[in-house]
């Protein structure tokens, strides 16, 4: 069975601090996709990144970076120099080809000015 | 380009009633998927439609159903509403079958309250 765990329920940081959101997944398949989505207070989820199981390269996009480690089944997300606009709920998700989409429980990030 | 539009945004129903929610995907997107979000269960996949055919289905009872029209617009229906159906229902669209690729574009959701 597929499962996504985000152990951090809520995180509060002060603006300009770096913050890492943890994601651990479980799957028996060798081919799968991992994602991060952001849900701001308005409600709609915003796609941030997709990574397939064969691509363990870390990725950086502006202040965002992702660390994918198959050995530990983790796909962590770091925000550098956080800003108030980063305040949202962040979801890690897993999709196996042809199967359902499984979301983690989410981490609520509050960035205080 | 217009985003995903969900209607209605808010609605209140009573137990036993049924409800129909509508989703208009981004123009050109052929896949529409539905999700239920509750504080207790989090985000759960309901089903996905692609070119008017249900492609995948989550673990929900038969009271939850959906359909997709030739213009890719989709509706989901919940019959015999229960208190536990109170949730934010999110619709997402994508060009290809979204469950596989994950590049989903979400609407703002329809918040259903069952009394």
């Amino acid at each position: 069975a597929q499962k996504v765990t985000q152990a951090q329920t809520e995180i509060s940081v002060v603006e300009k601090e770096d913050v890492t959101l943890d994601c651990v997944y479980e799957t028996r398949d060798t081919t799968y996709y991992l994602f991060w989505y952001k849900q701001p207070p308005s409600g709609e989820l915003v796609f941030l990144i997709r990574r397939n199981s064969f691509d363990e390269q870390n990725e950086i996009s502006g202040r965002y970076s992702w660390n994918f480690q198959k050995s530990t089944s983790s796909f962590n997300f770091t925000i550098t120099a956080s800003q108030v606009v980063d305040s949202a709920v962040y979801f890690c998700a897993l999709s196996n080809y042809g199967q359902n989409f499984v979301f983690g429980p989410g981490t609520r990030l509050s960035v205080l000015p | 380009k217009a985003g995903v539009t969900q209607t209605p945004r808010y609605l209140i129903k009573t137990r036993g009633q049924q409800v129909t929610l509508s989703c208009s995907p981004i123009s050109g997107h052929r896949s529409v998927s539905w999700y239920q979000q509750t504080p207790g269960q989090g985000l759960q996949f309901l089903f996905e439609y692609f070119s008017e055919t249900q492609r995948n289905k989550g673990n929900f009872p038969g009271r939850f159903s959906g359909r997709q029209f030739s213009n890719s617009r989709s509706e989901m229906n919940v019959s015999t509403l229960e208190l536990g159906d109170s949730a934010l229902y999110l619709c997402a669209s994508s060009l290809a079958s979204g469950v596989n690729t994950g590049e989903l574009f979400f609407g703002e959701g329809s918040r259903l309250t069952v009394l």
Side-chain angles (χ1 to χ4, degrees), chain B residues 11-58:
Chain B
L11 66 167
I12 299 173
K13 294 284 187 179
T14 56
R15 278 182 299 175
Q17 288 187 309
Q18 74 164 17
V19 66
T20 298
L21 308 178
S22 179
C23 173
S24 293
I26 291 173
S27 178
H29 284 194
R30 298 167 63 189
S31 169
V32 173
S33 51
W34 289 88
Y35 303 81
Q36 182 196 66
Q37 186 175 26
T38 60
Q41 299 298 318
L43 266 166
Q44 294 183 283
F45 170 76
L46 280 157
F47 30 65
E48 182 200 13
Y49 286 86
F50 183 81
S51 295
E52 301 179 66
T53 302
Q54 188 178 84
R55 282 286 183 90
N56 293 285
K57 190 176 190 304

Side-chain angles (χ1 to χ4, degrees), chain A residues 28-85:
Chain A
R28 292 181 181 174
D29 291 315
T30 56
T31 302
Y32 52 89
Y33 292 97
L34 294 163
F35 316 87
W36 277 95
Y37 280 85
K38 172 183 180 180
Q39 187 176 36
S42 55
E44 83 280 13
L45 276 82
V46 177
F47 170 83
L48 295 177
I49 190 171
R50 175 188 66 177
R51 176 66 73 233
N52 74 53
S53 52
F54 298 107
D55 183 4
E56 285 194 73
Q57 263 194 328
N58 292 331
E59 180 155 340
I60 297 175
S61 175
R63 297 183 297 106
Y64 296 170
S65 63
W66 291 269
N67 181 265
F68 176 29
Q69 292 195 328
K70 284 181 76 171
S71 60
T72 56
S73 297
S74 65
F75 187 42
N76 297 336
F77 173 32
T78 297
I79 302 175
T80 303
S82 60
Q83 299 176 1
V84 172
V85 293

Side-chain angles (χ1 to χ4, degrees), chain B residues 55-98:
Chain B
R55 282 286 183 90
N56 293 285
K57 190 176 190 304
N59 190 26
F60 278 81
R63 300 186 297 108
F64 291 82
S65 62
R67 59 178 175 169
Q68 186 180 34
F69 302 96
S70 57
N71 61 358
S72 293
R73 190 178 71 85
S74 177
E75 290 181 346
M76 68 161 282
N77 184 77
V78 187
S79 62
T80 320
L81 284 167
E82 301 176 359
L83 295 178
D85 296 333
S86 295
L88 179 67
Y89 290 88
L90 291 162
C91 165
S93 77
S94 64
L95 275 171
S97 181

